[in-house]
Structure formats: structure tokens, C-alpha cells
Amino acid sequence: MKKLGLIAGVLVLGLSAAACGGAKVEDNAAGAPSAAASGSAAPSAAGTVKIAINGWVGYEASAAVVSYLLQHELGYTVQKVTLNEEPSWQGMESGDVDVVIENWGHDDLKKKYIDEKKIAVEAGPNGNKGVIGWYVPEWMVQKYPDITDWKNLNKYADLFKTSESDGKGQLLDGDPSFVTNDEALVKNLKLDYKVVYAGSEAALIKAAKQATDQKKPLLMYFYEPQWLFNQIKLVKINLPAYTAGCDADPKKVACDYPPYELDKIVSKKFADTGGKAYELVKNFSWTNDDQNAVADDITNNGMSADDAAKKWVEANPTKWQAWMPK
């Protein structure tokens, strides 16, 4: 997990013994407006917004830009709370989280926290189009052209054996908390593979780079938007086509992942009382290319999240000005 860049005035706090116990919290105090601002004096503090930070850099990029605008354009203090996906929703119930800026589906959590408990609400799409699937390095497709058809994966299982895969082919996943049906898919498609968890997005990226540079076989769970696709070529495996409802029973899933229109979730309290901060979050919507640009700066160009956000804000005034409260 990347260490988040902070502006001056960083304070690391510990959460109280709530559902999100043990989470990392970072306070970013509002500073002077950026060069992209109107040139007026620094706004007075308008309150605090608590944004969950989930464990992939694309999420961090979205949160960085929204945080930067909240601080430098609207005068809010932003508290970044590092959590996995489900604890982020729990944080809305405990009061430790106001905003989840990039939600990948999670119909079960929507039912629990939006429909039943009524402590969270949807805040519209964030503009990113999500794709989850299984990928191999491009060189493998060039050498084994039929490997992209899932029906042929057993034929190539031996290529993917590792010390952790118990004599089967390895399917490398990320963090177990990520949205994944892979163990069920392997079982229900009768594939001679074992899901092995790398533990993080960073570990998946490292494996993909090694597999490309060293010509090592790799079958991995991965997703878009992701800056890595700007650097190396990965090819998606064609799993059985997704149809509505084919993933309704997690234990019986035998189809590909659905396309995701990523959205934003906020606490009901924040929606009711968040004022201009809520309006900005609700209006925020950008493209996969936008996110990848900021994520690439954070990951590969040595920039803090705040500096990468500032760079994007200064280069794209027309886009972010459309999100600002009227």
C-alpha cells in the first residue's frame, strides 16, 4: 500500500474503538489556494471531511484530487482513513467515514447499509469504468494463441505451477478483500488451478512486470482502470460471458465479472449536512485516463498524492470547475 503524500500540518491519529479500529487516519489541513485557484485569499476552515482510502492507487488518485479541491478551493480539512472496502462502509455507521470515492459494486453492502440500515446513500457515478478479469502477459498469447479461451487453461496448467499452488496451476489474486469470485470460478469451471493471494495491488504489479521482463508464465486477477496498462501489455482471458444474474449465488458463479460503472457512496449524515463538500463529491466524475495519469505520477514519478493532484488540477481547470458547488 502506498504511503500517502500529505501537505503541511500532517497529524496521524488513532481511531476510537469503533468498527474501524486500528485504521490509519491522516488530517490534511487546508492551505493556500493552488495556482489553479481564483487567486483570492485562503478560505477559512469550513469543517472536516473524512474520506476512506482503499488499497489500490487508482482509488488514492481519485481521493487525492477530491481532497485537494476540498482543501484548496473550499477550505475544508480532509481526514484520510486507510481501510479495506467493507470496513469503509462500517466506518460510515460509526461516524469515522463520510465518503467512499470509488465503490466496485458491492450489492450486498448496499442492501445492508443503504436499504436496511439507511446510514449510507449513493452519490452517483465517479466516471470510471471498471473491468475485472484474468490476464496473462502478451508474450504468452503470442506463444500460445489459444490460451485466451478459458476452455484451454487446463491444457496449460503446468506452465503456471509454483511452490504455493500444490501441484496445480497458480491463479494469482491480490488482497483477499478485493472483489473476487475466483475460488468459485476455478471450482465451478473445473479448472486445475489454485488461487494464491499476492496480498496487495503492489504485489500483483510486481509479478506482472517480472512476468513480462523475464518471460515468466503468469495468470493473474487484475482490473482497469490501472496505470500499469500504460506501461506493459496484458491480455484478458475470455471467461464464460457475463449475463445478468449469473453471479447471484457466489458459490455457483461460473461466468465472467460484470462491467462496473464505479460509483461514490457517502454517509447519510454527510449527504444531509455536508453542504458544499457533499456537492463537490456528488459532482465529481472523471475518466479512466484522468485517474491513470494521477496514479502514474504517484506510483512512478516520485510524487506525493497531494502533488500529483495539484498537477492534474492545474492542467485541467475546465474539468474540475464543473464539479464546484454553484
Side-chain angles (χ1 to χ4, degrees):
M1 188 175 297
K2 301 294 176 186
K3 183 177 180 181
L4 306 182
L6 306 179
I7 63 173
V10 172
L11 175 63
V12 179
L13 303 175
L15 279 177
S16 60
C20 307
K24 179 181 176 185
V25 182
E26 299 168 349
D27 277 357
N28 293 22
S34 68
S38 61
S40 60
S44 59
T48 298
V49 181
K50 305 168 188 175
I51 301 182
I53 304 295
N54 292 166
W56 57 94
V57 72
Y59 186 113
E60 184 182 351
S62 294
V65 168
V66 171
S67 297
Y68 189 89
L69 294 173
L70 284 168
Q71 296 167 69
H72 295 274
E73 297 298 324
L74 298 180
Y76 286 85
T77 294
V78 174
Q79 199 173 78
K80 294 179 177 179
V81 190
T82 301
L83 291 166
N84 287 335
E85 291 170 86
E86 184 164 359
S88 298
W89 292 68
Q90 296 167 357
M92 286 186 275
E93 184 172 22
S94 66
D96 294 312
V97 171
D98 295 319
V99 179
V100 170
I101 203 67
E102 181 178 304
N103 172 61
W104 286 71
H106 290 299
D107 290 340
D108 55 336
L109 297 179
K110 286 185 176 182
K111 180 180 179 182
K112 180 177 180 179
Y113 290 99
I114 295 177
D115 299 336
E116 297 174 359
K117 293 194 172 187
K118 302 186 186 302
I119 56 89
V121 298
E122 295 174 301
N126 73 5
N128 293 138
K129 307 300 182 184
V131 177
I132 295 176
W134 298 356
Y135 293 82
V136 293
E138 185 184 49
W139 71 263
M140 294 197 74
V141 179
Q142 294 171 346
K143 188 170 183 179
Y144 311 105
D146 63 346
I147 201 170
T148 57
D149 185 340
W150 72 270
K151 295 177 183 177
N152 296 321
L153 286 177
N154 279 345
K155 181 169 70 172
Y156 296 109
D158 285 351
L159 291 175
F160 300 105
K161 286 182 180 178
T162 71
S163 60
E164 299 178 73
S165 63
D166 297 336
K168 299 180 178 182
Q170 174 179 277
L171 170 58
L172 190 66
D173 271 38
D175 187 309
S177 71
F178 290 177
V179 175
T180 175
N181 300 327
D182 287 354
E183 291 186 0
L185 281 169
V186 166
K187 178 182 178 181
N188 295 330
L189 294 177
K190 297 180 172 55
L191 297 177
D192 191 25
Y193 286 77
K194 178 183 177 181
V195 175
V196 175
Y197 291 94
S200 67
E201 178 184 70
L204 284 175
I205 290 171
K206 181 179 179 180
K209 287 184 172 182
Q210 288 180 342
T212 297
D213 295 341
Q214 301 173 18
K215 296 293 190 291
K216 293 173 58 177
L218 175 68
L219 176 64
M220 65 184 290
Y221 165 104
F222 211 51
Y223 41 83
E224 301 180 56
Q226 227 298 325
W227 61 263
L228 185 64
F229 287 96
N230 295 344
Q231 294 195 2
I232 66 175
K233 293 184 178 181
L234 301 171
V235 181
K236 191 172 182 291
I237 299 295
N238 296 314
L239 294 171
Y242 174 83
T243 57
C246 69
D247 56 352
D249 186 341
K251 295 181 180 180
K252 297 180 180 180
V253 176
C255 60
D256 207 343
Y257 292 86
Y260 291 92
E261 184 171 351
L262 307 186
D263 61 350
K264 301 157 292 188
I265 307 296
V266 301
S267 71
K268 179 68 164 57
K269 180 180 179 181
F270 181 68
D272 291 341
T273 64
K276 290 184 177 181
Y278 170 65
E279 290 183 52
L280 172 60
V281 169
K282 187 175 181 180
N283 293 339
F284 167 71
S285 180
W286 67 350
T287 67
N288 286 13
D289 287 342
D290 290 324
Q291 186 185 94
N292 285 344
V294 178
D296 189 36
D297 279 335
I298 294 171
T299 306
N300 302 306
N301 296 329
M303 299 181 74
S304 69
D306 193 64
D307 286 343
K310 178 181 178 181
K311 176 183 174 182
W312 187 91
V313 165
E314 291 177 346
N316 296 276
T318 302
K319 290 186 178 181
W320 65 259
Q321 285 169 3
W323 309 335
M324 300 307 290
K326 304 302 182 185

